[in-house]
Amino acid sequence: MTGAATTQTFRTAIVPAAGLGTRFLPATKAVPKELLPVVDTPGIELVAAEAAAAGAERLVIVTSPGKEAVVKYFEAQPELEENLKAKGKDELLEKVRRGPALLAVETAIQEQALGLGHAVAQAEPNLTPDDEAVAVLLPDDLVLPTGVLERMSAVRAEHGGSVLCAFDIPKAEISPYGVFDVSDTDDEDVKRVHGMVEKPKPEDAPSTYAAAGRYLLDRAIFDALKRITPGSGGELQLTDAVALLITEGHPVHIVVHRGGRHDLGNPGGFLRAAVDFALETPEYGPSLRAWLTERIGTDRP
Ligand code: G1P
């Protein structure tokens, strides 16, 4: 989006990556789920690339003891690079350098798994005085096509406050999400938010607009995070801090993203993402497509 340069509203992106990855056990005994490859690239690099493309210069990865490999992934590996260079493996060299070159990566540690709100709060000491707003990207969520953060930045530039990404999803499927109570604006894809509730039953959901893992939050969120109490699941919820800000008159809007989405947080969603991405590559796409077609054709219930 061309307006990105003029409506840039954040420099720091926060990626909460402290979870235990229980849905990916036993693999996550040894490998953080954020490093599992979508074709050949860890999910966390896809998310970091999205943040960098939207103008982030710094990425604060909130991680937990034992998951240092997630941050290490963004460090340069001079020996490996030398080796690849000596062998003339330029394409691989470019891939190896890509992650570390995206943006500056820092770490914040979440010692205890007390919820998403608590995880985001751990990044506050990493902020600088000029961080008036921060982006938060949940690495489980791939939002496609990318670019929604640029739109969210433009909405903050216009309306102020905080801006979240939403998907319009069937009410029967709404319970795993934070759900918005909204009213329309002049722009069909931008709605004003009057309340937000975490993981409601379908009959209690205020709308069909669900939070989709991309947040552009005014710095005021960190003060709100200090004042919330445990909510859904007994956890400190980011949703509840956003809801608190709304009750205090802080403007919150959503950008309704009319694209696709993959949930990398469970094996079923992860596989879809991997197949989706692989089908798009010249290297693996054609043979995978042919094999899948044959495999599905011979499937017996
Ligand atoms: C988190 C948020 C929820 C949001 C969801 C998007 O839930 O708490 O509001 O809708 O991510 O994926 P989680 O998936 O961590 O349970």
Side-chain angles (χ1 to χ4, degrees), residues 10 14 25 49-50 60 64 72 89 116 123 146 148 153 160 165 170 173 178 196 222 248-249 258 277-278 280 300-301:
F10 65 96
I14 299 170
L25 282 169
E50 180 187 338
V60 183
S64 51
K72 252 191 146 347
K89 302 203 167 183
L116 178 59
T146 55
V148 74
S153 232
C165 172
E173 295 165 23
M196 188 178 179
F222 291 97
E248 294 172 350
R258 316 268 178 197
F277 276 59
E280 296 302 319
R300 297 278 173 272

Side-chain angles (χ1 to χ4, degrees), residues 194-268:
H194 303 283
M196 188 178 179
V197 40
E198 182 69 14
K199 301 192 181 9
K201 292 186 192 140
E203 60 268 30
D204 299 331
S207 74
T208 54
Y209 295 109
R214 298 292 179 273
Y215 306 75
L216 176 54
L217 299 169
D218 187 277
R219 197 178 177 128
I221 197 73
F222 291 97
D223 182 60
L225 284 167
K226 293 181 185 114
R227 295 184 284 126
I228 56 167
T229 52
S232 171
E235 297 188 338
L236 293 166
Q237 297 290 352
L238 187 55
T239 291
D240 293 343
V242 173
L244 178 59
L245 287 180
I246 294 169
T247 62
E248 294 172 350
H250 178 95
V252 176
H253 291 79
I254 53 172
V255 169
V256 182
H257 184 72
R258 316 268 178 197
R261 181 175 160 262
H262 286 300
D263 179 2
L264 299 183
N266 68 83

Side-chain angles (χ1 to χ4, degrees), residues 7-296:
T7 59
Q8 185 65 44
T9 55
F10 65 96
R11 293 286 169 210
T12 299
I14 299 170
V15 175
L20 296 174
T22 43
R23 284 180 292 179
F24 270 107
L25 282 169
T28 43
K29 279 166 67 189
V31 185
K33 73 172 174 191
E34 294 80 7
L35 293 181
L36 298 175
V38 179
V39 189
D40 60 7
T41 303
I44 190 114
E45 183 180 321
L46 300 176
V47 167
E50 180 187 338
E57 291 165 1
R58 248 155 34 105
L59 191 73
V60 183
I61 300 180
V62 182
T63 187
S64 51
K67 289 186 74 177
E68 292 78 13
V70 177
V71 179
K72 252 191 146 347
Y73 176 76
F74 289 96
E75 290 171 9
Q77 293 220 8
E79 271 181 37
L80 175 61
E81 290 179 25
E82 279 310 314
N83 188 308
L84 293 172
K85 214 192 278 179
K87 290 182 178 147
K89 302 203 167 183
D90 294 341
E91 248 179 69
L92 281 180
L93 184 62
E94 191 272 322
K95 284 187 181 182
V96 162
R97 286 178 169 166
R98 195 176 52 198
L102 284 172
L103 68 190
V105 172
E106 298 175 17
T107 321
I109 299 286
Q110 186 189 26
E111 297 283 351
Q112 284 174 287
L114 298 179
L116 178 59
H118 180 258
V120 171
Q122 306 315 303
E124 189 181 12
N126 295 67
L127 302 188
T128 57
D130 60 336
D131 282 316
E132 288 172 16
V134 294
V136 174
L137 294 89
L138 306 190
D140 279 357
D141 290 320
L142 287 186
V143 178
L144 302 167
T146 55
V148 74
L149 282 172
E150 285 92 326
R151 283 205 69 197
M152 291 158 66
S153 232
V155 173
R156 173 169 156 99
E158 186 183 347
H159 296 282
S162 298
V163 186
L164 286 74
C165 172
F167 271 75
D168 190 2
I169 66 170
K171 217 163 209 177
E173 295 165 23
I174 207 113
S175 289
Y177 300 102
V179 183
F180 304 102
D181 181 10
V182 296
S183 62
D184 290 341
T185 70
D186 293 343
D187 184 334
E188 201 195 331
D189 293 339
V190 177
K191 314 234 177 250
R192 173 93 193 214
V193 181
H194 303 283
M196 188 178 179
V197 40
E198 182 69 14
K199 301 192 181 9
K201 292 186 192 140
E203 60 268 30
D204 299 331
S207 74
T208 54
Y209 295 109
R214 298 292 179 273
Y215 306 75
L216 176 54
L217 299 169
D218 187 277
R219 197 178 177 128
I221 197 73
F222 291 97
D223 182 60
L225 284 167
K226 293 181 185 114
R227 295 184 284 126
I228 56 167
T229 52
S232 171
E235 297 188 338
L236 293 166
Q237 297 290 352
L238 187 55
T239 291
D240 293 343
V242 173
L244 178 59
L245 287 180
I246 294 169
T247 62
E248 294 172 350
H250 178 95
V252 176
H253 291 79
I254 53 172
V255 169
V256 182
H257 184 72
R258 316 268 178 197
R261 181 175 160 262
H262 286 300
D263 179 2
L264 299 183
N266 68 83
F270 189 92
L271 274 171
R272 282 188 197 186
V275 170
D276 195 17
F277 276 59
L279 285 172
E280 296 302 319
T281 65
E283 198 176 353
Y284 307 115
S287 69
L288 178 63
R289 186 178 302 275
W291 180 81
L292 277 173
T293 309
E294 195 204 327
R295 175 68 181 78
I296 290 162

